[in-house]
Amino acid sequence: MPPHAPQYDVGAPTLENDREPTRRVCMKVAILKETRAGERRVALVPLGVKTLLKAGLEVTVEAGAGSASSISDDEYKEAGAGIASSAEEALGGAGMVLGVNAPSVEVVASMSEGTILVSFLSPLTSPDLVRALAAAKVTGIGMEMVPRITRAQSMDALSSQATVAGYKAVLVAADHLPKFLPMFTTAAGTIRPAKALILGAGVAGLQAIATARRLGAVVLAFDVRPAVKEQVESLGASFLEAEEEVAAEGEGGYAKELSEDQHQKELDLIAGAIVDCDVVITTAQIPGRDAPLLITDDMVKSMRPGSVIIDLASESGGNCALTQSGETVVEHGVQILGPVNLPTGIPVHASQMYSKNIVTLISEFIGEEGKIELDFENDVIGPSTVTHQGEVTNERVKSTLSA
Ligand code: NAD
């Protein structure tokens, strides 16, 4: 038997009839302490534990898994979870593992055949992990693969975590800016409000706009999807408009890459606005591609010293030519930050939202009395599954492995 073969704990006996007592088998769900450097989130909060117990599952949490999100082991115990003293103990007999980030390939290799792992997996850029999942015959379900359909909104961790990132980006910018954001009228004089430019008005961008407005900044925003103009304006920001429309809306309401000519028009538009901005937050992404370049070296040079750029696209190449992912650089007197994993900076609410997403997702395949019923025809579970029974089931992921 493999070291961690699921030995589902046996729950209270139920009587099927008077003579033949049968025992209900609960699947054990393990929550491991996240191991990514700097990670403070946890995949499941105590409220999620209670929901899973009600659904007929059993939950074991590795000791200390919630501590960076201000959740003690005692709180998990009160919610009904068991506490394991190590990751190995938590994994022992677990049929499902929930995480925020993917575990290491070594941990995946130690999982027993048939385990269901649900976490962010970055399957398109993590071939070693995908191979390890297939080799261990682990069913890998990627949170980033959840389709962005209306029905799945409450399972959409990309959106919940982008909301956190957009909010936190403004706080980081405010902290680095040597100025106030709001206008002040005081006996010591009147302070003009700071001006913020938000590039990309998707989930993170809209939250950044709302947060910058709440902090009193004057906000401008731009996106290549003209449909967001109304949303931007409803948040009290102004939408930048070019003389000729710059637009590129692709499939499913996402952006697509601009033509060279349109991209140049966008750069001209941004160059005209950026000179006067104290804070710039960039969030522009195109699914499956490098982030578009929106801020050139010359544009940074044109900004006032002390201004701050927060590039939320830094992990996919960056929207600013001078961004270094995970670093803060100062060029032409302008601070350029390329933060990675901003949601971990608000761990309590980021975990709470993530936990709601993951519980809603797995509820799709928990049947009566905690029975697991994986249905790959399900419009959420099918596309979210990356590996199953030793096969890579997602065609896009498969093609990245053979490329
Ligand atoms: P994203 O992270 O892929 O991109 C962020 C933003 O960058 C997008 O708004 C995009 O239009 C913009 N962008 C791309 N290229 C640009 C450029 N050259 N210049 C300026 N902006 C550029 O997107 P997202 O925030 O994850 O979501 C984008 C869309 O998906 C939105 O329409 C959103 O409403 C939709 N969505 C739907 C659901 C759902 O129905 N469940 C969930 C989440 C998001």
Side-chain angles (χ1 to χ4, degrees), residues 146-156 158-160 162 198-206 222-228 231 246 248-258 262-263 266 270 282-288 290-294 319:
V146 170
R148 301 184 97 182
I149 53 176
T150 307
R151 190 176 88 72
Q153 273 181 1
S154 53
M155 314 170 200
D156 184 352
L158 281 181
S159 285
S160 70
I198 316 292
L199 297 173
V203 181
L206 288 172
F222 183 70
D223 196 296
V224 288
R225 292 179 300 120
V228 298
Q231 295 169 35
V246 175
E249 186 143 350
E251 273 173 39
Y254 280 98
K256 62 178 187 187
E257 208 163 9
L258 288 170
Q262 287 259 300
H263 185 224
E266 178 177 20
I270 296 170
T282 69
T283 75
Q285 307 260 13
I286 300 163
D290 284 348
L293 176 72
L294 304 182
N319 292 140

Side-chain angles (χ1 to χ4, degrees), residues 279-348:
V279 167
V280 183
I281 294 174
T282 69
T283 75
Q285 307 260 13
I286 300 163
R289 303 200 163 250
D290 284 348
L293 176 72
L294 304 182
I295 303 176
T296 62
D297 187 348
D298 278 349
M299 287 187 210
V300 176
K301 209 173 184 175
S302 75
M303 295 174 74
R304 279 189 291 266
S307 302
V308 181
I309 298 174
I310 311 277
D311 190 343
L312 291 195
S314 74
E315 283 175 274
S316 45
N319 292 140
C320 173
L322 303 176
T323 299
Q324 285 179 31
S325 189
E327 305 286 334
T328 299
V329 295
V330 181
E331 295 279 355
H332 313 300
V334 175
Q335 306 168 74
I336 304 152
L337 283 76
V340 291
N341 198 5
L342 271 184
T344 203
I346 315 269
V348 171

